Amino acid sequence: MPTDPVWILDFLAAVMLLVAAYCAARVVTVRRLHRTLHYDVNTAHVAMGAAMAGMLRPDLNLLANGLWEAIFSGFAVWFSWRSVSFLAQHGIRGRSDDHVHGISHYLTHLVRSCAMLYMYWLGMPITGSRGIEMAMSGPPTSAGDPGLTLLLIAILLASAVWQLDAIGRFSPASELALRASGGAAPLPAGADRRPWLAPRGEVACHVAMCLSMGYMLALMVWIPMALLPLELLRSNFEWITW
Amino acid sequence: MGACAGVQGAASLPGAPRGAQAEGVVTMSEPSGVDLAARPAAARPLWEPPDRRRVLQLVLASFWLLDAVLQLQPFMFSRAFGLSMLGPTAVGNPSVIAHPIIDVSRSIGHHSVGADTAFVVVQLLLAFGIAYRPTVRLGLAASVVWALVVWWLGEGLGGVLAGSADPLTGAPGAVILYAALAVLLWPTDRGATAPFVAAGPVGATVARGVWVTVWGSLAGLALVGYPARRTATLLSALSIGEPAWLADLDRHVAHLATGHGLLIAIVACVVLAGVALGVFLPAGPARAVILVAVAVSLGTWVLGEDLGMLLSGSATDPNTGPLLVLLAAAYWPLRRVAPELTHPGPVR
């Protein structure tokens, strides 16, 4: 094991890349496998995974921060609309037509999109598409609102735990039994009633994303250095260790 | 839990609410926190929404997850974590308690990265173990063991034996509450008429005893340790490393507390003792006492514990405030459900 805790940042970057690649593969292969999935959620996972990997390691950043902000603004608007339309259709305690999700599903993704925007607006370490190029022109003056940051962290961690609790809904035994019982199984989403594509894989991505995002938000509270270039953040890690 | 082990869909269960049947789940009388293995296989639901106890278990898992994230703070990877944070908890303790603390803190200090990484992994596993239904028992049992070890070797038994414990600033330590909650939220029921969630696994008498022990000890610590500490000084010291608004609040509270240490200790003792005894009241007054307990916990968390010092970069847990709120939630008197409205099985 490396003796330098900076490996955490690299490890999380690798996990985020893995999540992004896995979700991209899901979107690409879902029709070929005659399954269905939440296209919006998986696309958001791809974008968030790639963006967070770029935050954690500048050399992995693909887009300028302005583009990322535009992308996550789009996701925030999309999930806001989805939340509102869900409320209008099912009410606050209702379930979606696929019997799987409630309003929290859309609100969680809305919160994550907003959390991404929050991190970009506060100037998490970001590089441009051509090498290291700091997005910030001057020294940071604020780490954001610690209360809001803690609230976001709490929501993300709670979401991860609740998703893990609900993962049993998608076990093969559940699917088979609910099919056999004639009950409305939490399987199909589309009109063609195709089953979900590896729903537990999607939950695992959700959990990994929540944990990584929670940690990155927490870094903003713990070390205002997180607002400085990533190299300084890394050197801060090294300094504080030795 | 066995929640996924059955093959009979919940939609076919008699007595299940109509909406639940439509969704293939049971929401009213099939608590996910109870021992489903005791029921006939045909009556077991495959997956059910979290009931009250399961929700509390998940909150406990969230706290463990938060602890794991806190353990990832840069400070925790430094030698100072072992040598400057853990080591001093030995001070004032009997030698049989103190020596292992010193040895372990030195070892952690000298292997800070590896040790801290191991702590992160353990706490992640505890959180995931409780959150994942098939491993909830393992997760809760392991969390009891881990919490007791940390309470001794990481927190010096919360300073209880050292005479430095102050409930206003987090004594006797959050981690011992993790252990108590893991026992009280164990997913079995000893009887069908538990008056509150915590009474399910251990019975109402033992659960009330735990409540009296926790709050009674807080009351005792508030008064007994008073001569050895200075509350205003402690509160003032909390401001170090905190954001400006919280540091200002600390200084303001410390200013108000100056010269009133004895009065604060007496008032705290009386209120905490009242909360301790309130668990024996009938359901209505007991709810009021629980609300007082929640208010006291949150007030202490903000004013005395500085939000668990979560913003300081050196907190290892959220401190006792949120855990006491969770404990109070486990003692909230339950409304009885008429037997004919429920499916046969454990009823709260």
Short mmCIF file of all heavy atoms in Angstrom, two decimals, chain B residues 28 55 274:
data_model
loop_
_atom_site.label_atom_id
_atom_site.label_comp_id
_atom_site.label_asym_id
_atom_site.label_seq_id
_atom_site.Cartn_x
_atom_site.Cartn_y
_atom_site.Cartn_z
N MET B 28 -47.87 -2.82 6.10
CA MET B 28 -48.47 -2.54 7.40
C MET B 28 -48.07 -3.52 8.48
O MET B 28 -47.66 -3.14 9.56
CB MET B 28 -49.99 -2.56 7.25
CG MET B 28 -50.73 -2.10 8.48
SD MET B 28 -52.46 -1.95 8.09
CE MET B 28 -53.11 -1.63 9.71
N VAL B 55 -35.99 1.48 9.67
CA VAL B 55 -35.57 2.86 9.40
C VAL B 55 -34.51 3.29 10.41
O VAL B 55 -33.49 3.89 10.04
CB VAL B 55 -36.79 3.81 9.46
CG1 VAL B 55 -36.34 5.26 9.50
CG2 VAL B 55 -37.70 3.58 8.26
N GLY B 274 -34.74 13.84 34.98
CA GLY B 274 -36.16 13.80 34.61
C GLY B 274 -36.39 13.02 33.34
O GLY B 274 -37.34 12.22 33.23
#
